[in-house]
Amino acid sequence: EVQLVESGGGLVQPGGSLRLSCAASGFTVSSNYMSWVRQAPGKGLEWVSVIYSGGSTYYADSVKGRFTISRHNSKNTLYLQMNSLRAEDTAVYYCARVGYYDSSGAFDIWGQGTMVTVSS
Amino acid sequence: QSALTQPASVSGSPGQSITISCTGTSSDVGSYNLVSWYQQHPGKAPKLMIYEGSKRPSGVSNRFSGSKSGNTASLTISGLQAEDEADYYCCSYAGSSTMFGGGTQLTVL
């Protein structure tokens, strides 16, 4: 079965760090474009970052310089390292696969999400 | 990186059709035929309903259709059913970034 399972969310103080993981099964992470998308409580979806199959990475302006997307090929896992966290980073974080072909822009597989709360 | 513009809410009665618009710019919706639409029920992950503007993934009802004209994409749901009540988001590829609309809450009356 093709699926994504996120983990690593939790409560962290402002200025702190957290690393999210997204374990994939049924397909190969490194062969696909993979993204992180977040959703603040009661708000809409916000694209956060993408890693291309070739390894290039891109970020939303709101997280550039603070977040790092990466993957571990042998573990078939996607990561999001989040540093210098702010209250406005509080959200459910989803990992998602870009399906059909690399630049389709279509997220066909989503994880269940992991909640990150930034608060003192 | 501004969000795409969607109406905050739409409503319709069972059996009717509704259309949700998604307005971007010539740098995103207008430049790429890569608009996708997502359905999200409360507490659930989003589900892909339309990709490449008008294509339906396997398993998605043909009551859902998409189109685009200039910088505006649209999602039409025909034969509204109670289970269609959800939030709907458009999304556009924009080169090295991606942007979502603010979301539209669909109420089935």
Side-chain angles (χ1 to χ4, degrees), chain B residues 41-94:
Chain B
H41 287 107
K44 301 294 187 181
K47 175 186 176 184
L48 178 65
M49 305 302 286
I50 295 288
Y51 68 101
E52 282 188 33
S54 61
K55 296 181 179 179
R56 277 188 310 276
S58 175
V60 171
S61 170
N62 60 9
R63 297 186 299 104
F64 291 82
S65 62
S67 63
K68 192 189 87 165
S69 177
N71 296 337
T72 298
S74 298
L75 172 71
T76 297
I77 308 174
S78 58
L80 269 179
Q81 300 180 358
E83 60 261 35
D84 298 332
E85 186 162 292
D87 293 328
Y88 291 84
Y89 295 91
C90 64
C91 176
S92 177
Y93 175 79

Side-chain angles (χ1 to χ4, degrees), chain A residues 43-107:
Chain A
K43 302 298 184 182
L45 301 173
E46 180 188 14
W47 175 79
V48 173
S49 180
V50 64
I51 183 167
Y52 288 175
S53 50
S56 298
T57 59
Y58 299 93
Y59 301 90
D61 288 344
S62 58
V63 306
K64 200 172 295 182
R66 300 187 299 122
F67 290 11
T68 302
I69 190 171
S70 64
R71 66 190 182 211
H72 194 299
N73 293 348
S74 63
K75 294 184 178 180
N76 208 29
T77 298
L78 179 73
Y79 301 102
L80 186 68
Q81 177 66 44
M82 304 185 295
N83 299 330
S84 302
L85 282 162
R86 306 165 180 167
E88 54 265 36
D89 296 317
T90 294
V92 174
Y93 284 75
Y94 296 99
C95 61
R97 183 184 80 171
V98 175
Y100 303 100
Y101 57 90
D102 282 347
S103 56
S104 74
F107 302 115

Side-chain angles (χ1 to χ4, degrees), chain A residues 11-28:
Chain A
L11 174 65
V12 61
Q13 292 188 338
S17 298
L18 210 56
R19 189 179 80 157
L20 306 183
S21 299
C22 171
S25 56
F27 72 97
T28 302

